[in-house]
Amino acid sequence: MALAVTASLVVAPAATAATPQCDTKPILTALEALKRVGAPGIAVTVKSPRCGVWNGGVGLADRRTGRKVVGNEHSRIGSDTKTWTATIVLQLVGEGKINLDDTVDHYLPGLIRTKLYDGRKITIRQLLQHTSGLPDYLDAPFWDNEEAHRWDHIEPLQTVKQALTLPPPDDRTPSGFAYANTNYNLAGLIVTKVTGRSIDTEIDQRIIKPLGLRETYWPGDQTTIAKPDLRSYVKRAKTLVDRTEWNTSEADASGELISTGADATAFWTALMTGQLLAPAQLAEMKQTILDDLGQDYGLGIEGYRLAPDLVAWGHSGSMAGGHTFRNAVTDDGQRAVTLLIDTDTFNSGEVESVIGNLIRDLR
């Protein structure tokens, strides 16, 4: 299948002789590399000081119709939602409504009391940093065939109860890290208990509306994605099949958001530049430990050491239907790369290399 490259560019006013010009060569180089990673289509958003915000992509947004990616497509962003959830929790910390070192039991008394797990010994900080010792609810037998529950409405409390029937994770690192979506669905329940409003309402009122993110929303039980959509594909019997329509209610605070590359980039830029968190809370978010990949993980945020003098942040995401999210933004928020990928079958290492090179070379 031929892959097409399409793009649009929003730049600053025309530069004077003394102003450095926008250089799109790193972007074009990245697009050429992304054609070869094995995904039918990738929406790309790039932000840099000289070029402003650039939206484009490679390949097809819809394999059936031949519609090309242009960069404004909506997509599920999966676990990148965790950073939005962590931001809400840390805002509440700044307001004195949540204490990171309070226990889960303090907010949800009696919910976690089993032979293996005790909410009186698990803190909010541990939830956000995946050091709670709780297992991932997706490891429950119920999810052995995720497609069997493709149309189901599932409450976050149900996912927590599924997790509590499982043994402790056997892949905890020396730092105590063991990634579990359960942690963030619990965090969402705590936000609801503290504020009286659901986590999606808090994200809408505290992040989406203040930042003017008109293309970002919480789908609830809606199985379709707003147009224009980036379709999503999974491999079945060596063939890519469309699995875009899906009820993702179970993902909740751990992964339910739908967004565009431009909106996700705007969120991450606002986060890094202190528009969403006070300095103390942003510093807490960036306090990292080593995760299971030997990389840095803070409170709902991944740290990328791209070079000795270059640190970037982001959070990857993926969904059972195939949508995949990758991003990186520099510590000062000046440079950012966001990729919305329409499948979970691609060369992940090459994608990471493209992002790293692009962040390094953007001007």
Side-chain angles (χ1 to χ4, degrees):
M1 178 180 61
L3 292 178
V5 177
T6 55
S8 60
L9 183 60
V10 179
V11 298
T16 66
T19 304
Q21 296 285 335
C22 167
D23 180 7
T24 60
K25 289 180 182 179
I27 300 173
L28 296 176
T29 299
L31 291 174
E32 288 299 317
L34 289 174
K35 291 182 192 179
R36 301 187 293 269
V37 303
I42 303 175
V44 182
T45 298
V46 176
K47 176 179 180 288
S48 67
R50 297 181 190 173
C51 295
V53 177
W54 182 98
N55 295 297
V58 298
L60 301 178
D62 188 331
R63 298 174 74 233
R64 182 181 64 84
T65 65
R67 175 168 52 90
K68 297 176 182 178
V69 176
V70 299
N72 65 345
E73 291 81 9
H74 298 85
S75 175
R76 295 187 175 95
I77 66 173
S79 287
D80 194 76
T81 303
K82 290 179 172 66
T83 311
W84 304 60
T85 297
T87 298
I88 298 301
V89 173
L90 287 165
Q91 286 182 350
L92 293 170
V93 169
E95 295 166 13
K97 297 175 182 176
I98 288 179
N99 187 316
L100 285 174
D101 296 314
D102 278 344
T103 66
V104 171
D105 201 74
H106 177 80
Y107 300 97
L108 301 172
L111 177 60
I112 302 179
R113 297 280 183 88
T114 73
K115 292 181 179 179
L116 296 175
Y117 310 108
D118 188 343
R120 295 168 295 185
K121 299 178 181 179
I122 299 172
T123 67
I124 309 306
R125 185 189 305 276
Q126 289 174 324
L127 293 181
L128 298 185
Q129 202 154 39
H130 296 292
T131 55
S132 68
L134 291 170
D136 193 332
Y137 70 83
L138 289 174
D139 291 333
F142 181 86
W143 296 105
D144 285 348
N145 181 0
E146 288 186 272
E147 235 173 275
H149 306 289
R150 182 178 170 189
W151 311 109
D152 295 354
H153 169 83
I154 296 176
E155 290 289 330
L157 182 59
Q158 183 180 344
T159 67
V160 172
K161 290 181 176 179
Q162 288 172 343
L164 296 180
T165 67
L166 301 174
D170 57 9
D171 57 350
R172 294 190 78 180
T173 68
S175 67
F177 182 93
Y179 193 92
N181 291 287
T182 313
N183 292 316
Y184 273 78
N185 282 1
L186 261 173
L189 292 173
I190 290 169
V191 167
T192 298
K193 184 64 178 289
V194 169
T195 66
R197 303 196 298 183
S198 61
I199 182 63
D200 57 298
T201 299
E202 290 297 317
I203 288 176
D204 183 66
Q205 296 297 313
R206 290 172 173 266
I207 298 176
I208 293 174
K209 286 183 177 176
L211 294 182
L213 306 180
R214 295 181 177 85
E215 308 303 328
T216 301
Y217 66 98
W218 196 272
D221 286 329
Q222 182 178 340
T223 60
T224 58
I225 297 178
K227 306 296 184 182
D229 59 342
L230 186 72
R231 306 298 294 178
S232 63
Y233 304 95
V234 294
K235 186 166 284 189
R236 298 286 184 269
K238 299 183 179 180
T239 300
L240 285 179
V241 296
D242 190 317
R243 289 294 182 267
T244 308
E245 283 71 38
W246 204 293
N247 186 324
T248 61
S249 55
E250 55 85 14
D252 197 62
S254 68
E256 196 170 342
L257 276 174
I258 291 173
S259 191
T260 61
D263 268 15
T265 299
F267 162 72
W268 277 92
T269 299
L271 181 61
M272 290 296 104
T273 55
Q275 297 178 52
L276 294 173
L277 292 176
Q281 278 70 60
L282 186 56
E284 288 274 17
M285 178 177 264
K286 292 180 176 179
Q287 289 294 315
T288 63
I289 60 173
L290 291 181
D291 64 15
D292 53 338
L293 299 176
Q295 297 178 333
D296 295 327
Y297 198 96
L299 303 185
I301 190 170
E302 298 170 353
Y304 312 130
R305 303 179 192 182
L306 302 178
D309 59 345
L310 180 59
V311 174
W313 303 90
H315 201 297
S316 57
S318 62
M319 298 297 285
H323 280 131
T324 303
F325 181 95
R326 294 287 186 272
N327 79 311
V329 56
T330 53
D331 206 46
D332 59 5
Q334 290 295 302
R335 289 172 281 171
V337 177
T338 302
L339 304 183
L340 307 177
I341 306 172
D342 64 1
T343 184
D344 56 3
T345 304
F346 61 93
N347 187 328
S348 182
E350 183 61 26
V351 165
E352 291 175 9
S353 177
V354 169
I355 293 174
N357 292 338
L358 192 48
I359 284 285
R360 180 197 65 206
D361 296 337
L362 284 171
R363 296 293 181 267

